């Protein structure tokens, strides 16, 4: 028996399509109504293409065209492609927050892979939560898998200036509220922001997760930066279609690529690109699915001293289109390769070090040298203290240096609705030294941990020219946002964490260098407040939201559902007929 014959016998798809019994007859016959010939089922690799296309997810709306290039690549390499849809949790439309549905989408991906005749899978992600949900689901199955990102939009343009998605929205909104920009100009800028298909072109969560995928080694080189409308995006999709067929033949599974070393590489790369704080939660969740021991403190251990080299909004001035032309992620990784595990394996069949041998930088203002960084410390700061016993995070590259060590009086909002109702009240007792505290925005409390942590500043402060204040919450914030914002406080307020006990006028100390977040009251008073505290009933009873609230983990471990953590493999299920 030849090696090819042995491999054919191991392929999952042959449990459906191989043989002469009635089940094989049925599976082949039904599949043939798409025009597939007999040899489509002869033992060649069957490749699933997991497509998160949805017109309700504008970032991924061009996937109908992109998937055709993937299919061609699969066919050219001798595979049989099957495209299938999964839940598309788009950031731009979905309420109360796309993060609520990341875990639901991952369940969809996992069960679709396990229950169908697939030997390998290509994961089409773009918008923020689609990429981690795909990787989480595929990691729980551990079959050969590769990511193809949709790519960023072209740079935004408005009246002769460059616009960054998200980042300039937050800036313009504050300018309108402070009276420095008219509503007419604000509305006029709207049509210049999103000028092409693709996801946010700032270094927001979508660009960050595309970069994390490339740093983890689950994409081909160059995946993170090619614009959605660039022909190189289509070519990369086609090449990935070819490569996944070879991965099946080599039995190159995700567990071979998603190693501890790969995650350490990604953490360091996140520091170098000034990546989103959302990457913390997503990588912790992906690691939990594949069985890699990764925790919140690793983000400080491996990312703290990595300089931010990428001069992109919100930390810098350029956008993803410029990043692409400057050399993209390989150029960044080439500049920190001494900090990376070069022997980490990638889906290309080569080590990361071998891939980086071809890396070049073509613009050292967009991608800086290490002796001229955008920020000397670009990683994620992990804070701890009596206000965040299980941790909280802050993005130094998006924060104000003068607020990195700050003590101020708490101005407390019990919910985002409470905040919106009172933030512009002229009688609000607040000044630039206050610390804005938001409760009820964590995984259980919102539910889903919405991106509301970058709280708009009170109008009375904005009118004095202040553009940043310390803000503390159990929420997340958009990767496109900026400011001295403490996020992901764990345990969250809805779970009875110390954040729930903060009262108006309490003194809060932030010391980023010391990695400390402290509530300056004595333990006895905290205990008195804890004894009085009562959890609030959740608004949604029954359905997925109820399941989510009951089983979601805290932010410091990735906010996955407790019963989804771990790799369950892809053993062929029992017959269906």
């Amino acid at each position: 028996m030849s090696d090819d014959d042995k491999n054919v016998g191991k392929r999952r798809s042959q449990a459906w399509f191989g043989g002469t019994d009635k089940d094989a007859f049925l599976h082949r016959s039904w599949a043939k109504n798409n025009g597939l010939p007999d040899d489509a089922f002869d033992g060649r690799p069957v490749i699933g293409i997991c497509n998160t296309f949805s017109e309700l997810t504008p970032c991924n709306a061009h996937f109908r065209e992109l998937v055709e290039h993937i299919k061609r690549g699969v066919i050219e390499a001798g595979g049989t492609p099957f495209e299938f849809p999964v839940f598309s949790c788009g950031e731009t439309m979905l309420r109360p927050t796309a993060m609520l549905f990341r875990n639901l989408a991952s369940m969809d991906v996992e069960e679709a892979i396990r229950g169908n005749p697939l030997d390998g899978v290509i994961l089409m992600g773009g918008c923020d939560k689609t990429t981690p949900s795909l990787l989480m689901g595929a990691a729980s199955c551990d079959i050969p898998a590769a990511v193809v990102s949709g790519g960023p939009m072209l740079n935004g343009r408005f009246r002769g200036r460059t616009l960054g998605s998200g980042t300039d929205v937050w800036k313009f909104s504050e300018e309108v509220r402070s009276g420095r920009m008219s509503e007419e100009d604000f509305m006029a800028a709207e049509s210049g922001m999103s000028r092409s298909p693709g996801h946010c072109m700032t270094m927001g969560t979508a660009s960050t997760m595309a970069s994390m995928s490339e740093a983890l080694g689950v994409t081909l080189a160059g995946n993170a930066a090619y614009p959605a409308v660039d022909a190189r995006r289509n070519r990369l999709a086609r090449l990935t279609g070819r490569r996944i067929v070879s991965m099946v033949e080599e039995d190159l599974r995700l567990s071979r690529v998603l190693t501890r070393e790969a995650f350490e590489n990604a953490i360091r790369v996140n520091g170098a690109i000034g990546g989103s704080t959302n990457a913390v939660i997503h990588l912790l969740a992906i690691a939990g699915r594949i069985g890699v021991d990764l925790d919140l403190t690793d983000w400080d251990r491996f990312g703290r001293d990595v300089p931010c080299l990428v001069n992109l909004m919100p930390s810098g001035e350029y956008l993803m289109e410029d990043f692409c032309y400057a050399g993209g992620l390989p150029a960044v990784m080439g500049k920190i390769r001494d900090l990376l595990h070069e022997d980490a394996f990638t889906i290309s069949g080569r080590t990361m070090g071998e891939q980086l041998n071809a890396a070049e930088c073509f613009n050292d203002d967009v991608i800086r040298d290490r002796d001229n960084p955008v920020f000397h410390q670009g990683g994620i700061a992990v804070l701890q203290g009596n206000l965040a016993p299980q941790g909280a995070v802050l993005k130094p590259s998006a924060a104000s240096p003068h607020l990195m060590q700050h003590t101020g009086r708490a101005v407390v909002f019990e919910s985002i609705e409470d905040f919106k109702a009172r933030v512009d009240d002229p009688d609000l007792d607040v000044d630039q030294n206050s610390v804005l505290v938001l409760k009820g925005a964590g995984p259980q409390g919102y539910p889903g941990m919405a991106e509301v942590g970058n709280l708009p500043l009170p109008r009375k402060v904005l009118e004095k020219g202040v553009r940043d204040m310390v803000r503390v919450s159990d929420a997340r914030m958009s990767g496109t946002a900026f400011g001295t914002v403490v996020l992901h406080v764990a345990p969250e307020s809805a779970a009875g964490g110390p954040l729930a006990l903060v009262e108006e006028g309490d003194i809060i100390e932030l010391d980023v260098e010391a990695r400390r977040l402290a509530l300056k009251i004595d333990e006895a008073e905290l205990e008195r407040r804890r004894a009085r505290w009562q959890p609030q009933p959740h608004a949604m009873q029954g359905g997925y939201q109820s399941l989510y609230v009951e089983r979601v983990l805290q932010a410091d471990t990735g906010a996955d559902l407790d019963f989804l953590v771990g790799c369950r493999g892809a053993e062929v299920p029992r017959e269906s007929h």
Side-chain angles (χ1 to χ4, degrees):
M1 181 181 292
S2 70
D3 288 341
D4 286 343
D5 290 335
K6 292 178 183 177
N7 287 337
V8 167
K10 294 178 182 178
R11 286 180 190 149
R12 295 182 76 252
S13 59
Q14 285 301 291
W16 281 261
F17 297 134
T20 57
D21 61 13
K22 69 170 175 57
D23 286 331
F25 175 103
L26 289 169
H27 295 312
R28 291 192 300 262
S29 178
W30 280 325
K32 284 181 177 180
N33 72 4
N34 288 316
L36 291 171
D38 290 342
D39 60 7
F41 313 104
D42 61 4
R44 66 188 63 199
V46 174
I47 305 300
I49 304 174
C50 186
N51 193 344
T52 52
F53 162 82
S54 171
E55 290 181 344
L56 292 171
T57 305
C59 307
N60 298 9
H62 60 300
F63 281 16
R64 279 177 169 166
E65 293 76 30
L66 189 62
V67 72
E68 295 304 317
H69 295 280
I70 296 173
K71 289 179 181 178
R72 289 173 194 167
V74 172
I75 293 168
E76 288 166 357
T80 298
F82 282 92
E83 177 189 356
F84 64 98
V86 292
F87 187 89
S88 185
C89 41
E91 195 68 39
T92 57
M93 305 285 190
L94 202 51
R95 295 186 178 187
T97 170
M99 183 63 179
L100 175 63
F101 304 103
R102 182 201 66 176
N103 300 339
L104 176 64
S106 79
M107 293 169 68
D108 191 355
V109 174
E110 177 183 349
E111 300 304 336
I113 291 173
R114 186 178 295 113
N116 283 292
L118 305 178
D119 301 308
V121 65
I122 288 184
L123 310 169
M124 297 183 67
C127 197
D128 297 12
K129 307 303 175 293
T130 57
T131 300
S133 67
L134 294 168
L135 275 170
M136 289 163 67
S140 284
C141 294
D142 193 23
I143 67 171
V147 172
V148 171
S149 299
M153 295 183 283
L154 296 177
N155 291 355
R157 300 293 296 174
F158 173 63
R159 294 181 180 173
R161 60 161 290 184
T162 300
L163 291 184
S165 49
T167 302
D168 278 310
V169 177
W170 317 133
K171 289 180 180 178
F172 288 171
S173 177
E174 296 292 70
E175 292 299 297
V176 171
R177 293 177 61 243
S178 68
R180 295 170 184 258
M181 185 179 191
S182 69
E183 285 192 1
E184 291 76 15
D185 285 348
F186 185 53
M187 293 297 101
E190 180 180 303
S191 296
M193 184 74 72
S194 305
R195 299 191 302 116
S196 78
H199 59 66
C200 290
M201 81 302 268
T202 48
M203 188 53 76
T205 303
S207 297
T208 297
M209 291 311 299
S211 298
M212 293 295 92
S213 298
E214 188 170 338
L216 287 167
V218 295
T219 76
L220 295 183
N223 172 80
Y226 294 137
V229 295
D230 194 309
R232 290 172 291 182
R233 173 67 54 189
N234 295 336
R235 288 200 292 272
L236 182 139
R238 192 162 181 161
L239 291 172
T240 307
R242 294 179 183 177
R243 178 59 194 154
I244 190 66
V245 175
S246 298
M247 289 173 63
V248 170
E249 292 167 344
E250 298 162 11
D251 196 28
L252 177 52
R253 304 184 186 197
L254 273 178
S255 55
R256 174 88 185 278
V257 178
L258 291 177
T259 61
R260 168 76 187 195
E261 291 73 23
F263 283 99
E264 291 176 10
N265 282 350
I267 290 172
R268 287 180 166 130
V269 169
N270 190 72
I273 65 174
S276 169
T277 50
N278 285 305
V280 178
I281 286 184
H282 297 324
L283 262 65
L284 288 171
I286 295 165
R289 294 294 189 95
I290 201 68
V292 168
D293 183 15
L294 191 75
D295 63 40
L296 185 60
T297 62
D298 288 324
W299 280 86
D300 224 15
R301 183 178 302 116
F302 296 105
R304 179 167 187 163
D305 295 323
V306 178
C308 177
L309 304 180
V310 177
N311 187 13
L312 259 66
M313 298 181 191
S315 300
E317 56 184 302
Y318 294 101
L319 294 168
M320 287 296 288
E321 189 179 346
D322 310 300
F323 182 53
C324 174
Y325 305 148
L329 198 72
V332 180
M333 296 181 73
K335 293 191 176 190
I336 63 166
R337 65 185 300 173
D338 60 303
L339 303 178
L340 304 176
H341 298 285
E342 293 192 45
D343 58 349
F345 206 62
T346 74
I347 65 155
S348 70
R350 299 181 294 162
T351 66
M352 187 61 74
E354 289 170 332
Q355 286 195 171
L356 293 179
N357 288 335
E360 292 184 78
C361 179
F362 306 105
N363 186 326
D364 59 10
D365 191 37
V366 177
I367 302 173
R368 301 277 187 89
D369 292 327
R370 282 165 68 172
D371 60 0
N372 181 36
V374 183
F375 296 95
H376 288 284
Q377 289 190 337
I380 302 297
V382 177
L383 311 171
Q384 291 186 310
N386 69 343
L387 189 50
Q390 293 171 208
V393 301
L394 177 142
K395 182 178 175 179
S397 64
S400 299
H402 73 282
L403 292 174
M404 300 286 267
Q405 189 172 37
H406 182 81
T407 300
R409 184 179 57 84
V411 178
V412 180
F413 302 94
E414 296 296 326
S415 67
I416 193 63
E417 290 77 18
D418 178 33
F419 172 83
K420 290 178 178 179
R422 296 196 292 125
V423 63
D424 288 335
D425 186 337
D427 295 328
L428 184 68
D429 187 9
V430 65
D431 61 31
Q432 68 189 63
N433 295 313
S434 302
V435 176
L436 304 182
V437 176
L438 174 66
K439 303 179 185 180
Q444 295 178 13
Y446 204 80
M449 204 179 176
E451 291 183 342
V452 294
N454 54 313
L455 299 168
L457 303 191
R459 189 189 300 275
K460 67 192 298 184
V461 175
L462 285 171
E463 289 173 346
K464 294 179 180 179
V466 177
R467 291 297 176 267
D468 195 11
M469 295 173 63
V470 175
R471 287 155 275 181
V472 178
S473 75
D474 45 15
R476 297 176 301 113
M477 77 173 181
S478 168
T480 67
F482 52 89
T484 311
V485 184
V486 178
L487 305 155
H488 308 184
V489 171
E492 64 175 302
S493 57
L499 186 67
L501 311 179
V502 179
E503 296 181 358
E504 192 83 7
D506 286 347
I507 302 301
I508 293 176
E509 178 191 19
L510 169 67
D511 189 335
V512 178
E513 180 62 28
R515 298 301 197 252
R516 184 169 62 249
L517 180 67
L519 183 62
K520 308 297 283 185
I521 62 174
D522 62 51
E523 188 61 31
E525 174 60 19
L526 264 182
E527 286 302 318
R528 282 191 288 273
R529 295 182 187 181
R530 187 172 287 114
R532 297 195 303 266
W533 180 81
Q534 293 290 328
Q536 296 296 311
H538 298 293
M540 182 68 71
Q541 298 298 314
Y544 172 72
Q545 288 196 27
S546 181
L547 172 68
Y548 180 94
V549 169
E550 291 170 5
R551 305 301 291 269
V552 71
L553 299 170
Q554 289 295 292
D556 62 300
T557 58
D560 203 353
L561 302 186
D562 55 8
F563 61 86
L564 292 177
V565 176
C567 180
R568 286 164 284 283
E571 183 176 346
V572 175
R574 300 168 73 180
E575 295 174 351
S576 55
H577 295 86

